[in-house]
Amino acid sequence: MRADSSLFHRSLKGTPPLAVRGSGVRLFDSAGRDYIDACGGAAVSCLGHSHPAPIAAIRAQADQLAYAHTAFFTSEPAERLAADLVRRAPARFGEGRAMILGSGSEAIEAALKLARQYHLERGEARRAKFIAREMAYHGATLGALSVGGHVARRAPYAPMLIDVGRIPACYAYRSQASDETAEAYGLRVADALEAEILRIGPESVAAFIAEPVSGATLGCAPPAPGYFKRIREICDRYGVLLIADEVMCGAGRTGTFYALEQEGVAADIIVVAKGLGAGLQPIAATLAAQKIVEAIEAGSGALAHGQTYMSHPVACAAALAVLKTIDDENLLVNAAARGAHLRGLLEARLGRHPHVGDIRGRGLFYGVELVRDRQTKEPFPAAAQLAPKLKEAAMAEGLMIYPASGCADGVLGDHVLIAPPYIVSADEIEIIVSRFETALPRALEKAAARQ
Ligand SMILES: Cc1ncc(COP(=O)(O)O)c(C=O)c1O
């Protein structure tokens, strides 16, 4: 830890190591240590840290045109990126259009306003309420935090947040009953949306927002079979828009470009970020289905949501190169193969560990939930600080995994995310799991000492 810094770090209690270089799936610090980035930061660096294609695209675009304000001009990379993103959306989405922004949180804010705008254009001005799920993460800005359901992250700002309808998460490990099939569970939790719409009054509800595969706060919990089909039916029945927050699980992370595609339904608004820029540029996109575009075109013609750096040409050029690289190098196929390998190894080596409660995920997006007692699923006490201790122990082994707490009840519950770059090799997957296996008992020892 470096002691002095003028940077307002995530925690002012210390300064993290100084990263100086990235190469392939590895990051290097100023002390000469290297780390396998097994989580792509926060499921961001899908091409690793030194892929030449987007780097060349960034240089070329910066040389040609770095910036042109969107109130004056459009740009070729922004036009091409929007076309590429809507082309990848399911047929039911229609032609659609994409707004290009700078971060997941910004893109969620735009999605919420876009949903509201759609209803305003159609003369349904009462529709201003959003429904979201418990334990969801949708970003750090106030609108995104309002729809987010992570208790601890919301608590300090609760008086500043907008009032949102709330339904339980789809989280089979902790809420599927022992005598319930996965399908019956999916329908039961999806039906909570209908009850909540009726409680609020359908004429007031603008949209329902959910992560197709829950990321940071629930540790890669996939939806139960049939869950999103039922959600889609309920949204259609009451004229409520469906917003898919694919900030973390999109851009190929779960094996298809958009994660919701695997559920056989289309959202009305899709938000994608992290893997889209692969960490090479800050970029996110909010996609509006054709019916939303048509309503706005036929009405006021605009969404009042201009931002200085939207559709940034250099960021768009980087994202275009990321998408092209994913296609050209067939990286979703590699991600699926490496993901199956990762799951197999995690299950074989850690599946019976007394403190590993659940291993779950999809594609190259896995969560490992840790429990004090496998039988009762009792979480570790908050004082144990297990997830952060595991991050620390893994870093000491040269491994980056993404820790989070609160999956059990918003405060208790520890898990880590493993989401390596799509370029990861079979050997690197072996190293990731071996280092994880070494770090886990060390973290458990440290956590035990704190209880
Ligand atoms: C599902 C989801 N939505 C939104 C966000 C917010 O994105 P950003 O951190 O880029 O603002 C995140 C970030 O982790 C996320 O995982």
Side-chain angles (χ1 to χ4, degrees), residues 80-241:
R80 285 177 47 218
L81 179 61
D84 192 328
L85 288 171
V86 294
R87 178 181 61 75
R88 289 170 198 262
R92 189 177 182 270
F93 198 75
E95 271 180 38
R97 286 185 182 242
M99 293 172 70
I100 316 287
L101 299 148
S103 70
S105 300
E106 280 174 60
I108 292 290
E109 299 290 338
L112 300 177
K113 285 170 70 178
L114 186 61
R116 164 79 179 146
Q117 188 69 32
Y118 167 76
H119 295 298
L120 282 177
E121 304 289 4
R122 292 160 43 91
E124 296 197 65
R126 287 179 66 189
R127 288 193 187 261
K129 265 271 199 221
F130 291 88
I131 301 178
R133 302 191 299 184
E134 286 163 6
M135 257 102 79
Y137 186 66
H138 296 298
T141 49
L142 292 178
L145 194 62
S146 298
V147 284
H150 189 275
V151 176
R153 292 188 202 221
R154 288 170 53 91
Y157 312 104
M160 301 158 70
L161 302 181
I162 54 174
D163 184 30
V164 162
R166 193 71 63 191
I167 64 168
C170 185
Y171 179 24
Y173 174 62
R174 286 195 180 272
S175 60
Q176 183 179 336
S178 54
D179 60 351
E180 197 175 34
T181 63
E183 288 76 10
Y185 169 66
L187 296 183
R188 172 167 66 83
V189 277
D191 284 344
L193 176 60
E194 182 165 36
E196 185 64 356
I197 292 173
L198 293 173
R199 187 190 69 77
I200 294 169
E203 67 291 343
S204 302
V205 181
F208 170 63
I209 180 167
E211 298 166 74
V213 177
S214 298
T217 45
L218 276 187
C220 307
Y227 172 82
F228 273 107
K229 276 219 166 97
R230 178 61 71 90
I231 290 283
R232 179 74 265 181
E233 283 164 23
I234 295 168
C235 286
D236 288 344
R237 192 173 309 145
Y238 296 102
V240 169
L241 294 178

Side-chain angles (χ1 to χ4, degrees), residues 357-371:
D358 196 26
I359 296 168
R360 54 179 174 255
R362 211 176 251 188
L364 206 42
F365 194 40
Y366 278 94
V368 178
E369 182 166 341
L370 301 154
V371 286

